[in-house]
Amino acid sequence: KQEVTQIPAALSVPEGENLVLNCSFTDSAIYNLQWFRQDPGKGLTSLLLIQSSQREQTSGRLNASLDKSSGRSTLYIAASQPGDSATYLCAVRQGAAGNKLTFGGGTRVLVKP
Amino acid sequence: GAVVSQHPSWVICKSGTSVKIECRSLDFQATTMFWYRQFPKQSLMLMATSNEGSKATYEQGVEKDKFLINHASLTLSTLTVTSAHPEDSSFYICSSRHPNTEAFFGQGTRLTVV
């Protein structure tokens, strides 16, 4: 059974610092991995999707890497801003396109002005 | 990104009544949609997979007669919480899977049963 873990559970940094969020998964036979952002009381916003054949994806200040063999993904957010404060969730889709997502517990990020 | 619209965003209902939540995929046709429940400060718990034109697949421990799912078209899935009780109060979120397999989520519905 796939298990997804996110460490740390919470993170507080001053504005301008780079953020590093970790996601690990136990079964490397994934189809893809997706990073989401969730603001309090809101739904999830898709940030980046990495297919199993890819090593990284970039969008603006965000960069996500994937090391399938070691079961890890890292989300980097450069030059953090107070508006980056949110909970970040990673999720893996197992094996095939039709399979469901397995979520990590999330990392709550606070960027202090 | 693609848009998934969920309605209502919040609802308060009396114990014993039923509540319907709608999830619409606005930008693409979705043969499969997913319904999640989220408790405070916790991650998402998958409740069921909604398949267009067929019965939903429920996760273990989720009562199918309690949480009725209907996916009558390629752009609309509904979740009905029947005979709601205070313990059903929660945050419910739907998701639609784009043909490129990226998942997009609705805004969520905060259900409070009094």
Side-chain angles (χ1 to χ4, degrees):
Chain A
K1 179 188 173 187
Q2 177 75 273
E3 292 183 3
V4 182
T5 304
Q6 290 185 248
I7 295 174
L11 185 60
S12 179
V13 299
E15 182 177 3
E17 254 192 37
N18 297 330
L19 285 164
V20 181
L21 308 179
N22 298 301
C23 172
S24 61
F25 45 94
T26 54
D27 188 340
S28 62
I30 65 170
Y31 188 83
N32 58 32
L33 182 146
Q34 201 166 348
W35 282 94
F36 298 92
R37 168 186 173 138
Q38 186 177 31
D39 293 290
K42 304 292 184 183
L44 276 64
T45 300
S46 178
L47 297 175
L48 291 166
L49 170 71
I50 310 176
Q51 302 292 351
S52 62
S53 59
Q54 297 176 318
R55 295 300 296 262
E56 68 174 351
Q57 279 285 353
T58 298
S59 176
R61 294 184 293 114
L62 277 60
N63 174 277
S65 66
L66 174 63
D67 185 342
K68 209 172 67 162
S69 60
S70 65
R72 289 187 299 185
S73 176
T74 302
L75 177 66
Y76 301 90
I77 303 178
S80 62
Q81 303 168 359
D84 294 328
S85 298
T87 296
Y88 292 83
L89 294 153
C90 73
V92 299
R93 191 180 303 282
Q94 196 68 25
N99 288 349
K100 60 188 179 185
L101 291 172
T102 302
F103 279 86
T107 296
R108 290 193 312 279
V109 171
L110 175 64
V111 180
K112 296 176 286 187
Chain B
V3 178
V4 175
S5 177
Q6 188 173 340
H7 179 82
S9 57
W10 61 270
V11 57
I12 301 173
C13 71
K14 290 185 177 180
S15 187
T17 62
S18 296
V19 174
K20 180 185 283 189
I21 303 170
E22 292 188 348
C23 182
R24 294 181 183 275
S25 178
L26 300 182
D27 294 347
F28 59 91
Q29 294 181 331
T31 55
T32 304
M33 295 175 127
F34 302 87
W35 287 96
Y36 296 84
R37 183 172 179 175
Q38 187 175 34
F39 294 100
K41 297 191 185 303
Q42 294 188 27
S43 190
L44 280 71
M45 181 192 78
L46 180 66
M47 298 175 64
T49 301
S50 171
N51 303 298
E52 187 268 335
S54 64
K55 291 183 178 180
T57 304
Y58 290 82
E59 295 299 301
Q60 192 172 9
V62 178
E63 299 176 61
K64 62 180 181 180
D65 295 329
K66 174 77 171 174
F67 299 99
L68 298 179
I69 291 173
N70 184 276
H71 193 155
S73 78
L74 287 171
T75 59
L76 174 64
S77 176
T78 61
L79 168 68
T80 301
V81 183
T82 63
S83 186
H85 288 93
E87 57 265 30
D88 298 324
S89 298
S90 194
F91 192 62
Y92 294 88
I93 314 177
C94 69
S95 169
S96 187
R97 189 179 66 230
H98 191 274
N100 74 358
T101 74
E102 187 171 1
F104 294 96
F105 284 77
Q107 307 94 316
T109 297
R110 170 73 57 194
L111 171 63
T112 302
V113 184
V114 298

